[in-house]
Amino acid sequence: MSNDLTKQDLYEGVKTLIETDSRHLHLPQQKLFTLFSIGFQYLLFESTRSPGAYIIRVEDGHLAEKLAKKAKDPSTRKFMQSLMIPRKLKYDKSVFYLDYFHLGSWNLTSELPKEKIKAALIVKNTSNRPLFEMQEEDSSENPALEIIKSGQYRNILVDNSPRTITIAFEETYQNTIQINFPFIKKEKERTISGVTINDDVEWDE
């Protein structure tokens, strides 16, 4: 794809993650597909030198499909396309797992021994839409919805994984280091008929 990351930018992004000592990292910039490629390639690199379980937890299946199609490098797209259906894929001596923010998708990862988990990549959509549609007025009657609402989809991985990378726009997290890549430029905004539109908006969606 013509708008893929250059090999140099991808290398520099992964190198930055490798050289950052903090256990928990946050990538807050708006280029979701670019950040996912960097985060995933970091996991791929780590999996070859520290075999174990690597978890990719994205907001929902729709976002996972978009990442498989629009990640900014071909190897990430190919790997995600292969991972989508089985949601578990062996790579060299490591195993990659894919699940979602919803508790019902954690069957592959919930019983993993803590010592086998090496890293997790957590991806929230850049849109500000709710994480779920409320089906009942009282969410306390639905434990799955309550776990999503309370942020446990991330907190559990932070507690159990020696390293997490969270991709989330306009969010802040305690005890987490933010990383901004200089080759990702801040998006300009333009106004059309009184509505402010960010240049990162994908018009076909």
Side-chain angles (χ1 to χ4, degrees):
M1 295 176 67
S2 59
N3 59 349
D4 276 356
L5 272 168
T6 67
K7 290 183 179 180
Q8 183 62 30
D9 285 345
L10 186 57
Y11 169 80
E12 291 295 336
V14 173
K15 183 172 179 284
T16 297
L17 299 183
I18 293 170
E19 293 176 347
T20 304
D21 291 333
S22 176
R23 286 184 58 205
H24 304 299
L25 309 180
H26 175 207
L27 310 185
Q29 292 166 289
Q30 195 172 0
K31 291 289 188 179
L32 173 63
F33 304 123
T34 295
L35 296 175
F36 181 74
S37 278
I38 295 169
F40 176 79
Q41 288 298 321
Y42 165 80
L43 258 60
L44 209 60
F45 173 78
E46 285 296 315
S47 72
T48 62
R49 66 176 187 174
S50 182
Y54 289 81
I55 298 171
I56 301 170
R57 180 167 291 172
V58 303
E59 188 169 323
D60 51 39
H62 178 62
L63 178 58
E65 291 176 358
K66 289 173 66 176
L67 294 170
K69 293 177 181 178
K70 299 186 178 184
K72 295 302 181 182
D73 75 286
S75 65
T76 297
R77 291 192 294 269
K78 183 177 180 180
F79 196 105
M80 281 297 293
Q81 288 162 12
S82 299
L83 182 61
M84 283 289 298
I85 298 300
R87 294 200 293 113
K88 176 182 178 182
L89 193 63
K90 194 173 188 303
Y91 179 77
D92 198 19
K93 296 180 179 179
S94 294
V95 181
F96 281 74
Y97 297 86
L98 172 68
D99 62 22
Y100 310 116
F101 288 6
H102 194 280
L103 174 66
S105 72
W106 298 357
N107 58 313
L108 291 175
T109 56
S110 61
E111 296 183 1
L112 284 173
K114 186 175 180 179
E115 62 272 13
K116 287 191 176 182
I117 300 174
K118 299 299 181 180
L121 179 60
I122 304 154
V123 190
K124 184 183 182 301
N125 209 328
T126 52
S127 69
N128 290 321
R129 67 182 177 79
L131 291 177
F132 54 89
E133 296 289 337
M134 293 298 295
Q135 301 297 325
E136 303 176 13
E137 291 185 4
D138 184 3
S139 64
S140 63
E141 296 179 5
N142 190 325
L145 294 185
E146 191 60 35
I147 284 178
I148 295 174
K149 185 177 179 181
S150 65
Q152 288 304 302
Y153 64 87
R154 178 179 181 272
N155 298 339
I156 289 172
L157 291 179
V158 167
D159 290 341
N160 292 332
S161 176
R163 165 145 293 194
T164 63
I165 300 172
T166 302
I167 299 174
F169 181 61
E170 294 186 334
E171 298 281 353
T172 57
Y173 302 102
Q174 293 183 340
N175 303 315
T176 303
I177 297 295
Q178 280 196 354
I179 294 178
N180 290 277
F181 300 108
F183 53 83
I184 299 179
K185 305 303 180 185
K186 186 174 182 180
E187 296 299 323
K188 296 179 181 179
E189 292 181 341
R190 52 201 173 101
T191 301
I192 300 177
S193 301
V195 178
T196 300
I197 307 243
N198 193 288
D199 281 350
D200 196 52
V201 169
E202 295 183 40
W203 291 94
D204 60 344
E205 295 180 8

